[in-house]
Amino acid sequence: MSAVAGRPAPKPGIMDISPYVPGDDGAGLTGRVFKLASNETPLGASPAAIAAYRDNASRLAIYPDGSASALRKAIGAHFGLNPDRIVCGAGSDEVLNLIAWAYLGPGDEAIYSRHGFLVYRIAILGCGATPVVAEEKDARADVDALLACVSPRTRVVYLANPNNPTGTYLPIDEIRRLHAGLPPGVLLVLDGAYAEYVRRNDYEAGIELVATSENVVMTRTFSKIYGLANLRLGWAYCPAHVADVLNRIRGPFNISGPAIAAGVAALGDQAHVDAAVAHNETWMARLEAAFTGLGLKVTPSVANFLLVHFPDVPGLSAAQADAFLRSRGLVLRRVAAYGFDNALRMSIGSAEANELVIAALGEFLGGREAGRR
Ligand SMILES: *Cc1c(COP(=O)(O)O)cnc(C)c1O
């Protein structure tokens, strides 16, 4: 879009951004609403985290610890990491954007995969850099395709593992092969937003790779399994030189005191995390079986959501299924912006919500088949 004379113009790239569309909260619907559109945990936050948050209410007038040292110490102790190499952000979204801000500018390229998390594209364009999209195979990132996109201008590769909205993942061997194929001056960003949910022996979030190289960063979040999405809290584990760079440009008080306190408490409640994993395991299997039984295709997921594909049959499209589910207060996520025109992404919800979706989809598909269209 060209500049309009007589008014301020943004930097090149910014008007190319399609604004991120968050999962609908169903605010326009009446009756009971189950939001299954943003991969939030049905268990909510740990009671310990809620208590820690409340305890901070008396200190709202006081600036937080700008270095978030209590939180970095707690993360370090929990995961066995050096706190000096942890950088916290207002959600991992902020960290992903700080990385773009620090390493990307006009003329630079950054790579992500076809169905990759859309925040990467926004972060890349926001810095005036050029997004380069690597094709996927079977809705899974493809290391060869990612490496084939590398050029002398490549500065960053963003990879969500597992990816959202597909739920697919790359085993650590493939991640190592990707890293080995990248020039040392290219930063590999491994976004492990769903790492805690993964139960696969060949999966690693990338801690060892960060520890043993100079060009890998792992990002994590408190928004998903820890249930603190509303507080905005994420972090990165970085090589020391990258932590130094990010600390120069981040806001001096980018995380609030209540978020720091709640994050520390959440890390201390492993039982809550274990319960979330167990709930997810049970319902992932049940939902997959139920949807497959209804004749729907499901992309195999290791995260806390499922990508459900609808048939190319008039009356049975994802858009129509979405409207039908909404009429019953069930809000899933449309994923056309991610290149899936005829699919919906469903976050694993409470038992009640999951049962309602299974029943509603049965009604939707059965009703149509029976010619009640
Ligand atoms: C949800 C999500 C995040 C987390 O974002 P926050 O800013 O930490 O809430 C990061 N990456 C992916 C792939 C996600 O799906």
Side-chain angles (χ1 to χ4, degrees):
M1 194 171 143
S2 54
V4 177
R7 68 183 207 197
K11 295 185 294 182
I14 292 190
M15 296 313 290
D16 298 329
I17 295 173
S18 311
Y20 186 85
V21 181
D24 191 334
D25 60 4
L29 300 174
T30 49
R32 279 190 82 192
V33 173
F34 296 89
K35 183 189 177 197
L36 304 170
S38 299
N39 301 341
E40 294 140 341
T41 171
L43 276 59
S46 155
I50 297 170
Y53 174 80
R54 287 215 175 98
D55 279 352
N56 262 262
S58 60
R59 285 191 287 281
L60 294 188
I62 312 298
Y63 273 102
D65 167 19
S67 69
S69 64
L71 179 60
R72 288 186 301 104
K73 251 174 73 183
I75 294 169
H78 188 84
F79 293 95
L81 311 176
N82 177 352
D84 294 341
R85 293 171 59 173
I86 294 167
V87 178
C88 298
S92 46
D93 284 354
E94 186 188 19
V95 181
L96 297 166
N97 275 284
L98 288 175
I99 291 167
W101 187 12
Y103 292 97
L104 295 175
D108 295 334
E109 295 176 354
I111 300 169
Y112 67 95
S113 70
R114 173 61 64 197
H115 305 297
F117 188 42
L118 277 174
V119 163
Y120 311 147
R121 181 179 185 82
I122 295 172
I124 296 162
L125 285 169
C127 294
T130 304
V132 177
V133 180
E135 290 308 323
E136 300 191 358
K137 273 198 190 128
D138 294 332
R140 199 178 83 140
D142 177 4
V143 168
D144 295 306
L146 287 163
L147 289 175
C149 288
V150 174
S151 86
R153 296 174 165 226
T154 308
R155 298 285 173 268
V156 177
V157 177
Y158 284 106
L159 183 69
N161 197 33
N163 184 49
N164 168 18
T166 54
T168 56
Y169 79 106
L170 289 182
I172 187 65
D173 284 356
E174 283 290 279
I175 299 292
R176 286 204 193 93
R177 189 163 76 81
L178 171 62
H179 175 245
L182 292 175
V186 173
L187 188 64
L188 173 60
V189 181
L190 298 173
D191 176 348
Y194 302 95
E196 295 84 0
Y197 281 110
V198 185
R199 287 295 173 272
R200 292 289 187 282
N201 289 333
D202 59 358
Y203 174 80
E204 285 177 30
I207 287 175
E208 194 201 324
L209 209 51
V210 177
T212 56
S213 68
E214 293 288 344
N215 66 331
V216 182
V217 170
M218 173 190 70
T219 62
R220 303 285 287 261
T221 183
F222 282 90
S223 297
K224 302 291 157 57
I225 206 161
Y226 292 104
L228 298 178
N230 200 356
L231 271 189
R232 312 306 305 128
L233 190 57
W235 54 280
Y237 177 49
C238 318
H241 69 97
V242 175
D244 174 57
V245 165
L246 300 184
N247 278 325
R248 285 168 197 258
I249 57 170
R250 71 173 173 81
F253 305 102
N254 61 332
I255 343 245
S256 71
I260 292 170
V264 171
L267 286 171
D269 189 353
Q270 189 58 36
H272 191 73
V273 172
D274 294 344
V277 171
H279 175 87
N280 199 62
E281 289 275 288
T282 303
W283 278 103
M284 179 67 79
R286 281 191 204 167
L287 287 163
E288 254 186 53
F291 295 158
T292 308
L294 289 171
L296 297 170
K297 270 203 228 123
V298 169
T299 300
S301 171
V302 297
N304 70 332
F305 54 86
L306 265 177
L307 189 62
V308 187
H309 304 268
F310 288 79
D312 286 318
V313 172
L316 300 186
S317 69
Q320 284 159 310
D322 186 42
F324 187 88
L325 291 167
R326 273 166 190 276
S327 71
R328 280 155 175 67
L330 302 165
V331 182
L332 278 62
R333 180 64 167 266
R334 297 289 303 276
V335 280
Y338 283 94
F340 296 106
D341 284 336
N342 205 19
L344 296 177
R345 191 194 68 197
M346 174 188 175
S347 310
I348 309 296
S350 64
E352 181 185 14
N354 298 337
E355 299 278 21
L356 287 171
V357 172
I358 293 171
L361 281 180
E363 203 182 321
F364 171 72
L365 294 163
R368 306 301 148 121
E369 268 162 21
R372 288 205 274 114
R373 212 173 302 170

